């Protein structure tokens, strides 16, 4: 799949180097003062972005370590006290942290595979030449318009235990599904996977549309049934998209707290069971006014995100078929 | 024989449409409920069996949401903060991407690597310090505080640099011969030619800014007057007497994105699949 292909004007031959290469010195040979002006202009143009990144990305990234290693003194006027890794170990060995970790794992396992598989399934369905197929593709993508708050609000109605859909379908949960210690977390994970399935579908269908037609035609000529073609040809060729959707899905689910906040909230009954890491960061920081502990949670979430991304990249290097 | 074939093909087609329709209904159903329940009264929302259609829309929900629920403020705030973020991200990304694509300057490679590495810093790690920074600048609970961490984006710079690099070198040389300054080249050639990439970035930024949750949740906690629509939906609440108002607010929140999905699908898909580099 090609990354952004703007309607490039003319001659592909003379285009610049590979898209992923770092910028290289241009080979223009010009006078010194021109060069100096160009340098000044270049630096001036990257300055605004550099300042914002410095203040709101890099400084806080490093300051997060400070928050972990130092605790504020009881007297605000005294400097913060260095505690080494004490605060970090205390935080990550606490039972509420371990609860968060477990909830996060359950949440990811319940939401990501369903979202990815759903996306593949819908893309296989929508990857056919039929009149009006564009309408169905739009319908399958449509869940991306829903924010976490909207998803929380509407599923709050759909999962209403007293009236509406659940009683009508003869489904009764006791206690209510969003107040149940065991079922609340899978339920919000399910809502989150609905929210994600549209994006997953978009990634898959874009991947399918960029598959080489010759290969699929060759498979048909060899008498492969459409079932065999899907499993033996399309799926292996689609693996880069499946991989990409999985990474995006895991990161999306690690960062989603909106649905939980709207449907359950920080003081909901199953609170300890739905306090996933990202929500725990918010709760430690805002509800308990404990920035040091929040910083420890945030660091762990950062490391998990990093590991997941790296592991998936390693797997992909070995297993994924990248074509050509 | 032939007619049997034709009939089988026709049945096959009907089955395909039926399967597609069933799954389209399942996927779209929650969104349908958003727009349906937005025009139902609370007692209609809470019936068993549930109301699946109505001939008598209860438009009053929107009036209540607008006047009593605070949606008029929330919507204004969402539009304001989203416009600022999208505009600023476009400007900072276009300027930086242009410099990386066309100009020579000291520390160019280093600066580029630094900017792309911001993609590896997730927002939650910066949360605590950014709140402290914004508070110490006396911007907590203000619109400026709401937008200031999001005025530049590594994704945007990466995306636009690629769009700029697809512009053929001849265009650049011709512009130099015609005596264009760098900024004239940026305005008259590079930006117009990179329009598809810029549009994709605009849609991407819009989606991100409009649906933002965690930062506005914290920043607007003590100041309802700058609260955004997403947080407004939460604060209206989904109780027995407010579900219809909450859903009406949700319908308002979803509407602009639905318009983008339907009319700017190409840009949307382009921006969402941009990371899937082969």
């Amino acid at each position: 799949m090609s990354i952004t292909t703007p309607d490039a004007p003319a001659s592909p031959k003379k285009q610049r180097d590979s898209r992923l290469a770092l910028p290289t010195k241009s080979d223009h040979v010009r006078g010194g003062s021109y060069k100096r002006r160009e340098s000044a202009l270049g630096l001036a143009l990257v300055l605004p972005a550099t300042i914002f990144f410095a203040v709101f990305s890099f400084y806080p990234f490093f300051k997060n370590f400070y928050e972990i290693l130092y605790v504020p003194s009881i007297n605000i006027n005294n400097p913060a006290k260095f505690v080494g890794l004490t605060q970090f170990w205390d935080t990550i060995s606490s039972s509420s942290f371990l609860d968060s970790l477990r909830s996060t794992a359950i949440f990811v396992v319940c939401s990501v595979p369903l979202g990815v598989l759903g996306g593949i399934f819908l893309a296989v369905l929508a990857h056919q030449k039929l009149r009006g197929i564009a309408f169905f593709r739009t319908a399958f993508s449509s869940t991306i318009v829903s924010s976490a708050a909207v998803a929380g609000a509407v599923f709050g109605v759909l999962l209403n235990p007293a009236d509406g859909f659940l009683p009508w379908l003869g489904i009764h949960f006791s206690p209510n599904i969003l107040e149940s210690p065991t079922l609340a977390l899978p339920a919000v994970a399910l809502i989150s996977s609905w929210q994600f399935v549209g994006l997953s579908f978009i990634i898959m269908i874009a991947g399918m549309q960029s598959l080489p037609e010759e290969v699929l035609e060759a498979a048909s000529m060899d008498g492969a049934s459409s079932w065999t073609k899907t499993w033996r040809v399309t799926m292996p060729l689609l693996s880069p998209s499946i991989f990409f959707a999985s990474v995006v899905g895991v990161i999306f689910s690690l960062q989603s707290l909106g649905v939980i906040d709207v449907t359950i909230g920080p003081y909901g009954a199953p609170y300890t069971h739905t306090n996933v890491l990202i929500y725990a960061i918010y709760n430690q920081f805002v509800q308990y006014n404990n920035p040091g502990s929040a910083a420890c949670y945030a660091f762990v979430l950062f490391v998990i995100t990093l590991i997941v991304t790296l592991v998936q990249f390693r797997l992909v290097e070995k297993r994924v078929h990248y074509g050509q | 024989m032939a007619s049997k074939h034709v009939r089988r093909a026709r049945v096959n087609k009907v089955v395909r449409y039926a399967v597609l329709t069933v799954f389209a209904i399942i996927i779209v159903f929650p969104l349908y409920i958003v727009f349906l329940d937005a025009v139902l009264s609370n007692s209609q929302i809470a019936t068993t069996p549930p109301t699946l259609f109505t001939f008598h829309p209860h438009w009053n929900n929107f009036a209540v949401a607008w006047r009593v629920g605070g949606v008029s403020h929330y919507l204004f705030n969402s539009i304001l903060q989203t416009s600022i973020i999208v505009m600023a991200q476009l400007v900072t990304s276009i300027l930086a991407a242009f410099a990386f694509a066309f100009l020579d300057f000291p520390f160019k490679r280093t600066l580029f690597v630094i900017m792309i590495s911001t993609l590896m810093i997730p927002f939650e790690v910066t949360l605590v310090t950014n709140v402290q920074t914004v508070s110490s600048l006396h911007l907590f609970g203000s619109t400026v505080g709401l937008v200031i961490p999001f005025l530049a984006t590594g994704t945007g710079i990466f995306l636009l640099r690629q769009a700029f690099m697809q512009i053929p070198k001849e265009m650049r040389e011709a512009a130099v011969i015609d005596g264009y300054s760098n900024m004239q080249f940026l305005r008259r050639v590079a930006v117009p030619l990179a329009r598809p990439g810029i549009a994709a970035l605009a849609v991407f930024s819009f989606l991100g800014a409009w649906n933002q949750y965690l930062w506005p949740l914290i920043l607007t906690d003590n100041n309802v007057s700058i609260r955004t629509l997403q947080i407004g939906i939460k604060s209206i609440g989904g109780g027995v007497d407010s579900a219809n108002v909450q859903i009406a607010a949700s319908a308002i929140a979803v509407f602009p994105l639905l318009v983008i999905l339907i009319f700017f699908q190409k840009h949307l898909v382009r921006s969402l699949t941009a990371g899937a580099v082969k």
Side-chain angles (χ1 to χ4, degrees), chain A residues 88-139:
Chain A
F88 187 69
W89 293 129
D90 285 352
T91 304
I92 68 168
S93 56
S94 69
S95 68
S96 56
F97 175 82
L98 297 173
D99 280 342
S100 280
L101 209 57
R102 202 190 47 221
S103 304
T104 308
I106 295 174
F107 187 82
V108 170
V109 168
C110 290
S111 66
V112 179
L114 194 62
V116 171
L117 293 176
I120 296 173
F121 176 77
L122 294 176
V124 170
L125 271 189
H127 190 59
Q128 44 182 334
K129 290 194 181 81
L130 277 178
R131 198 185 295 165
I133 196 70
F135 168 79
F136 291 101
R137 288 186 187 158
T138 305

Side-chain angles (χ1 to χ4, degrees), chain B residues 223-264:
Chain B
N223 187 356
V224 186
S225 70
I226 65 151
R227 188 165 290 171
T228 60
L229 201 43
Q230 306 296 337
I231 309 307
I233 290 171
K234 184 212 172 179
S235 60
I236 290 169
V240 274
D241 49 358
S242 59
N244 59 346
V245 177
Q246 189 187 37
I247 295 285
S250 301
I252 294 172
V254 160
F255 187 72
L257 301 183
L258 210 56
V259 170
I260 289 181
L261 176 72
I262 292 168
F263 295 103
F264 302 94

Side-chain angles (χ1 to χ4, degrees), chain A residues 4-323:
Chain A
T4 60
T5 42
D7 318 332
S11 93
K13 254 189 255 161
K14 298 259 174 136
Q15 272 177 22
R16 297 210 165 193
D17 274 332
S18 147
R19 295 166 308 220
L20 287 171
L22 293 171
T24 49
K25 297 224 164 197
S26 103
D27 41 20
H28 303 159
V29 183
R30 294 208 193 88
S33 88
Y34 185 93
K35 268 244 124 78
R36 224 172 303 132
R37 284 223 310 274
E38 187 176 325
S39 295
L41 180 64
L43 288 170
L45 294 184
V46 298
L47 189 67
T50 312
I51 291 174
F52 285 118
F53 288 142
V55 179
F56 292 104
S57 293
F58 291 106
Y59 166 66
F61 177 73
F62 292 111
K63 180 78 189 310
N64 198 66
F65 292 104
Y66 176 89
E67 296 289 338
I68 293 172
L69 299 173
Y70 287 81
V71 290
S73 303
I74 298 164
N75 181 345
I76 317 178
N77 296 319
N78 292 347
K81 205 173 111 219
F82 179 76
V83 293
L85 289 173
T86 327
Q87 176 173 234
F88 187 69
W89 293 129
D90 285 352
T91 304
I92 68 168
S93 56
S94 69
S95 68
S96 56
F97 175 82
L98 297 173
D99 280 342
S100 280
L101 209 57
R102 202 190 47 221
S103 304
T104 308
I106 295 174
F107 187 82
V108 170
V109 168
C110 290
S111 66
V112 179
L114 194 62
V116 171
L117 293 176
I120 296 173
F121 176 77
L122 294 176
V124 170
L125 271 189
H127 190 59
Q128 44 182 334
K129 290 194 181 81
L130 277 178
R131 198 185 295 165
I133 196 70
F135 168 79
F136 291 101
R137 288 186 187 158
T138 305
F140 292 163
S141 327
S142 67
T143 73
I144 58 161
V145 305
S146 169
S147 66
V150 171
V154 68
F155 276 91
V157 170
L158 292 176
L159 298 178
N160 181 343
D163 306 288
F165 293 90
L166 290 186
W168 181 50
L169 295 168
I171 302 171
H172 296 279
F173 288 105
S174 172
N176 300 338
I177 186 162
L178 289 172
E179 290 165 12
S180 150
T182 44
L183 292 175
L185 188 59
V188 285
L190 205 71
I191 300 171
S192 181
S193 69
W194 170 77
Q195 226 198 319
F196 173 61
V197 81
L199 177 55
S200 172
F201 167 76
I202 289 175
I203 293 169
M204 302 301 173
I205 195 84
M208 283 191 179
Q209 282 164 348
S210 68
L211 294 184
E213 294 240 340
E214 318 87 70
V215 181
L216 290 169
E217 270 167 29
S220 304
M221 302 265 262
D222 289 347
S225 67
S226 61
W227 180 258
T228 320
K229 247 177 18 189
T230 302
W231 282 107
R232 294 288 176 78
V233 185
T234 309
M235 283 307 134
L237 287 172
L238 194 62
S239 49
S241 303
I242 298 174
F243 153 70
F244 178 65
S246 312
V247 176
V248 172
V250 170
I251 291 172
F252 175 79
S253 73
L254 286 175
Q255 296 185 339
S256 66
L257 85 164
V259 174
I260 299 176
D261 192 48
V262 171
T263 54
I264 295 168
Y267 305 117
Y271 155 69
T272 53
H273 299 269
T274 53
N275 198 24
V276 295
L277 283 170
I278 181 78
Y279 202 36
I281 295 172
Y282 164 75
N283 284 324
Q284 291 294 328
F285 183 37
V286 177
Q287 308 291 343
Y288 300 120
N289 196 16
N290 189 346
S293 164
C296 298
Y297 277 80
F299 179 72
V300 173
L301 186 51
F302 164 66
V303 171
I304 292 175
T305 311
L306 198 65
I307 291 174
V308 167
T309 315
L310 294 179
V311 165
Q312 278 175 318
F313 270 108
R314 280 301 288 275
L315 275 182
V316 151
E317 272 173 18
K318 288 201 191 114
R319 303 259 300 277
V320 170
H321 176 94
Y322 267 90

